[in-house]
Amino acid sequence: MDSSLPWVAVVDDDEAVRRALQRLLRSAGIAARAYAGGADFLAALDDVHPCCVVLDVHMPGLSGLEVQARLATLAPAIGVIIITGHQTAAEQAQAQLHQPLAYLGKPVDDQAILDAIGMACAKPSSATGGPPP
């Protein structure tokens, strides 16, 4: 991947979802890096920052909402797109506290997620480093 271009982090504990989202992004010409959990993604922020992160709510260890809250402090310029297979009003309200670009149910609508990513990655200051190797 060209390290000068914006890229997207995909954080989901479900390998099939990670692969599907990476395929979708690649087909749209968007560079992406997948992470199996929130801790792995947050650890990678020491070196690089994506223009946005597609973040699953329900994961072992750190939940997507916990990762979102940490990002609000650690890297507020990174846009967050929340995805979940089990939508609840309480979780959506909690996610809205940190103003995600989108809150989407699984299966994710391809155009809705691409539109949200387009908003995040169009910002000139959103990419602060290339993807990890």
Side-chain angles (χ1 to χ4, degrees):
M1 280 186 252
D2 183 342
S3 64
S4 66
L5 296 176
W7 62 282
V8 174
V10 175
V11 184
D12 196 308
D13 62 314
D14 185 328
E15 184 179 352
V17 171
R18 288 193 311 270
R19 279 196 318 260
L21 287 171
Q22 282 189 290
R23 277 193 304 270
L24 172 65
L25 296 176
R26 190 176 3 195
S27 73
I30 301 168
R33 170 73 187 213
Y35 299 88
D40 293 341
F41 168 66
L42 290 173
L45 287 180
D46 288 343
D47 299 321
V48 296
H49 286 184
C51 62
C52 77
V53 57
V54 176
L55 190 56
D56 183 30
V57 171
H58 299 280
M59 296 184 290
L62 290 174
S63 75
L65 297 176
E66 291 170 316
V67 174
Q68 180 194 25
R70 290 187 187 184
L71 281 175
T73 301
L74 296 172
I78 297 174
V80 176
I81 299 166
I82 300 289
I83 60 173
T84 182
H86 310 284
Q87 296 182 46
T88 68
E91 283 179 348
Q92 186 168 6
Q94 186 177 352
Q96 293 303 326
L97 292 174
H98 298 290
Q99 302 175 340
L101 298 171
Y103 181 92
L104 304 171
K106 292 179 184 177
V108 176
D109 176 86
D110 291 353
Q111 193 58 55
I113 200 164
L114 290 173
D115 289 347
I117 289 169
M119 285 189 314
C121 294
K123 297 181 219 171
S125 63
S126 61
T128 57

